[in-house]
Amino acid sequence: MPKSVNGTEFRKMIVAGAKVLEINRTKVDSLNVFPVPDGDTGTNMSLTIQSAVKELGLCSSNRLPELCDAVSKGALKGARGNSGVILSQLFRGMCSEFKNYEEITIKAFAKAMENGTKVAYSAVSKPKEGTILTVARMMSEFARSSASKYRDFKVFLTDVIAKGEEALAKTPELLPVLKKAGVVDSGGMGLLCVYRGFLSAASGEEVEGASDYDPSQSAEEDVFGDNSDIINLDLGEIEFAYCTEFFVINLKKQTTLADIDKLKEKLMAIGDSVICIGDLELVKVHVHTNNPGQALQYAVELGELDRVKIENMLEQNRALRAKREAEKKEMGMLAVCAGDGIAAIFKDLLVDGVIEGGQTMNPSANDIAAAVQKINAEHVFVFPNNKNIILAAEQAKALVSNRTIHVIPTKNIPQGFAAALAFNPEASAEENKTDMIHSMDNVKAGQVTYAVRSTSVNGFHLKEGDIIGLDDKKILAKGTNVDDTLLSLVAKLKDSSHEIITLYYGKDVSEEDAEALAGKLAEQFPDCDVDFHYGGQPIYYYIVSLE
């Protein structure tokens, strides 16, 4: 068993970690404290590390500095959910240490674990013990204090994982909500899955049961005809000036399929975005290059050229820059939500962009960054509308250089609506940010869904299928039917200052049922105006807002 890990072995470790996590994704998801039908820790962590694997697949070098940059970049771009963001920060801290070495020794690995823990803790404004952070910390402390005793990576990682299992078993004692729910921390479990993958790779074992990730992405479908490949949303600098496209027809008798492969290799040496596909009847070519004449010269050796098109992407880029600059406004808004009705309401409130996401589907930092780039504004206010998306929105700032992102920490849809309503185009960005954050204080929100497993939490003994009402922190009501549970939930949420109750009904609720429930609310709370709107959200029968 080796005493150190080289670049090739490091690559295998990351891939194996991703595979073991994917195999156990559903198991990790099921450890969600609240028994709601959208526990997604395992899914978020798996998608985060898969993004790192994808970036690794695009890295042709096996030197640690390049590999580490790929892992850090890929994990950050794919980071989603609190657990995924923390995992990306663990990788970021570890990789910033690994890249200093030709090969990773046991001592270097332990030092990197310590740095990963430090970076991950600093990414969270209020770190909680009893979470993935605790598991990472206890493993790194053990590794750092005992690394010098080990000569074998397999033995070292085996003992690190044992310490992680010990830490995971302690999480219910450190976080009472885990103890009440009868589960260990899901993020900690996910991290151990990654380390078990590391161990498999370090031991030379194949991980069975997960498909290999194929990073190759074919762009043949959209290359010709729409110029979409030149529209870089951040309009950065263009390395290759000319988009060169043509067909090779009437190929020479001596031309072989191997010659077509050689043509592709030659084109890759003088540009990027290369497509060279076909057979001995017809070859289709596309390349971005600074030497279009050279590309044509290479191709004419195989046959005749047809439908040659050379476009100056520098000029197109300049025109796009000028157009976007002329249309640019000072401030814009982006909301994350699920449900076509909710999205329509945000658009009515003049929100510039809506990205699909919520409890069932947390967007990645890269998803949020890409959506921000589409909003042509100097300052973009982002409403995550879910506490599990706030961290990813914060990480998106590192992926966007030509916009200022202001994350308004909205934890639910009604807070997002309040923040959008507070927007004043005449005020400055800082004034708007302050007003938006203050607007959240005037809203209380709750949601009604169903329990997916039997458990005890927040003083309730729940059976699978029970209807439950919750706010952003805990379960407040349970019942056997939706209407009674919502009425009970509103009674818990309401105080004397509230004057308006608004229902947003989900995709599984009819308009007639929502109207009837609004009538019951008006009867029970005559001091409030009651309204209802179509939300179309999945999973949650109702979202309710009190103002």
Side-chain angles (χ1 to χ4, degrees):
M1 189 63 217
K3 294 179 182 179
S4 63
V5 170
N6 61 26
T8 304
E9 289 157 346
F10 174 72
R11 185 191 286 267
K12 288 177 182 174
M13 286 171 75
I14 298 294
V15 172
K19 285 185 175 182
V20 173
L21 183 53
E22 177 58 23
I23 291 165
N24 291 281
R25 176 171 54 84
T26 307
K27 182 179 177 182
V28 176
D29 279 345
S30 71
L31 293 174
N32 194 34
V33 169
F34 290 139
V36 292
D38 53 15
D40 49 10
T41 298
T43 300
N44 285 338
M45 293 181 75
S46 183
L47 289 169
T48 298
I49 192 172
Q50 280 179 34
S51 180
V53 171
K54 177 182 175 182
E55 206 72 35
L56 263 184
L58 301 173
C59 179
S60 55
S61 168
N62 265 338
R63 291 181 65 250
L64 279 170
E66 287 88 349
L67 291 171
C68 287
D69 284 343
V71 171
S72 289
K73 180 183 173 187
L76 175 61
K77 285 165 69 176
R80 64 187 77 214
N82 293 344
S83 51
V85 170
I86 291 169
L87 181 63
S88 78
Q89 296 306 294
L90 285 168
F91 279 144
R92 181 181 150 215
M94 291 173 77
C95 286
S96 70
E97 187 64 34
F98 288 151
K99 67 192 294 183
N100 299 322
Y101 300 92
E102 293 285 322
E103 291 198 350
I104 305 166
T105 62
I106 292 172
K107 282 185 180 178
F109 197 95
K111 190 177 176 186
M113 286 178 69
E114 184 179 52
N115 196 50
T117 301
K118 181 181 169 186
V119 172
Y121 265 84
S122 66
V124 182
S125 56
K126 293 179 182 174
K128 270 187 184 175
E129 294 302 332
T131 65
I132 180 176
L133 290 170
T134 302
V135 177
R137 178 177 57 75
M138 290 181 69
M139 287 166 74
S140 66
E141 286 171 353
F142 168 79
R144 196 78 166 100
S145 64
S146 58
S148 58
K149 301 173 189 171
Y150 292 92
R151 298 288 175 271
D152 184 310
F153 242 106
K154 182 177 178 180
V155 178
F156 167 68
L157 284 174
T158 300
D159 288 356
V160 165
I161 290 167
K163 177 56 71 170
E165 286 168 345
E166 184 185 312
L168 185 66
K170 287 180 179 175
T171 56
E173 301 304 320
L174 296 168
L175 204 57
V177 69
L178 294 174
K179 191 169 188 177
K180 287 178 185 172
V183 294
V184 293
D185 179 66
S186 53
M189 169 74 85
L191 182 61
L192 280 177
C193 290
V194 173
Y195 270 84
R196 288 191 187 105
F198 289 175
L199 176 60
S200 294
S203 306
E205 299 167 4
E206 283 295 319
V207 177
E208 302 295 334
S211 57
D212 288 322
Y213 184 82
D214 180 10
S216 62
Q217 291 178 316
S218 170
E220 288 95 7
E221 298 303 315
D222 60 10
V223 168
F224 279 74
D226 67 358
N227 292 333
S228 60
D229 50 354
I230 65 154
I231 302 175
N232 178 4
L233 285 170
D234 65 2
L235 298 179
E237 295 306 313
I238 288 181
E239 183 181 357
F240 297 107
Y242 299 99
C243 176
T244 307
E245 302 172 355
F246 55 86
F247 290 92
V248 186
I249 61 172
N250 298 328
L251 278 78
K252 295 175 181 177
K253 286 183 179 176
Q254 66 266 35
T255 299
T256 64
L257 291 173
D259 290 328
I260 297 172
D261 291 336
K262 284 176 190 169
L263 172 61
K264 183 173 183 178
E265 288 173 17
K266 288 178 180 177
L267 293 172
M268 289 173 74
I270 62 166
D272 67 4
S273 298
V274 174
I275 291 168
C276 183
I277 54 171
D279 51 29
L280 297 177
E281 297 293 319
L282 177 76
V283 179
K284 180 180 181 180
V285 175
H286 170 276
V287 59
H288 291 175
T289 179
N290 290 325
N291 299 294
Q294 184 74 71
L296 298 175
Q297 186 62 47
Y298 288 149
V300 82
E301 294 172 12
L302 274 61
E304 299 171 9
L305 305 183
D306 186 42
R307 288 167 63 187
V308 176
K309 185 169 76 168
I310 300 172
E311 293 187 336
N312 182 343
M313 295 192 297
L314 288 173
E315 182 57 32
Q316 292 171 329
N317 190 264
R318 280 191 287 269
L320 279 169
R321 277 177 189 268
K323 182 173 183 289
R324 286 177 69 82
E325 205 54 45
E327 294 172 351
K328 197 166 193 174
K329 58 184 183 176
E330 189 185 356
M331 293 172 286
M333 296 183 281
L334 172 71
V336 182
C337 68
D340 52 342
I342 300 292
I345 294 170
F346 272 118
K347 285 171 184 171
D348 287 344
L349 295 174
L350 304 181
V351 167
D352 300 270
V354 171
I355 178 172
E356 190 177 351
Q359 269 303 103
T360 47
M361 187 184 67
N362 297 156
S364 68
N366 198 52
D367 293 335
I368 295 168
V372 166
Q373 292 280 33
K374 291 178 183 175
I375 297 173
N376 193 14
E378 189 78 27
H379 298 268
V380 180
F381 300 100
V382 178
F383 311 138
N385 300 328
N386 185 292
K387 62 184 179 184
N388 207 32
I389 299 174
I390 294 171
L391 262 185
E394 291 287 354
Q395 295 303 314
K397 293 176 181 178
L399 300 172
V400 177
S401 59
N402 58 352
R403 308 274 192 284
T404 301
I405 295 178
H406 303 276
V407 178
I408 310 301
T410 53
K411 294 181 179 176
N412 52 60
I413 295 298
Q415 284 186 346
F417 289 155
L421 278 165
F423 177 64
N424 176 6
E426 305 300 319
S428 69
E430 281 306 315
E431 287 171 327
N432 270 303
K433 184 175 181 179
T434 301
D435 291 345
M436 287 172 173
I437 290 171
H438 283 320
S439 74
M440 293 159 46
D441 297 336
N442 304 322
V443 181
K444 267 195 180 176
Q447 301 167 113
V448 176
T449 184
Y450 58 93
V452 292
R453 68 170 188 271
S454 300
T455 187
S456 293
V457 64
N458 301 137
F460 291 97
H461 297 293
L462 301 175
K463 297 194 300 293
E464 184 179 337
D466 278 349
I467 307 299
I468 51 177
L470 55 162
D471 63 8
D472 291 315
K473 295 179 179 173
K474 58 185 179 180
I475 295 170
L476 296 174
K478 80 159 189 172
T480 54
N481 68 70
V482 172
D483 285 16
D484 289 346
T485 305
L486 184 123
L487 291 167
S488 176
L489 174 64
V490 172
K492 294 271 176 65
L493 292 171
K494 187 181 176 306
D495 63 38
S496 58
S497 70
H498 293 133
E499 299 172 346
I500 302 168
I501 300 173
T502 308
L503 290 179
Y504 301 95
Y505 62 95
K507 68 173 188 176
D508 297 323
V509 177
S510 70
E511 184 178 356
E512 293 75 24
D513 287 347
E515 186 175 11
L517 181 53
K520 291 180 185 176
L521 276 169
E523 272 181 44
Q524 188 165 329
F525 305 103
D527 55 331
C528 288
D529 291 331
V530 179
D531 201 0
F532 68 98
H533 300 279
Y534 170 65
Q537 69 273 7
I539 304 252
Y540 292 93
Y541 301 113
Y542 289 99
I543 297 169
V544 60
S545 167
L546 292 87
E547 298 170 74

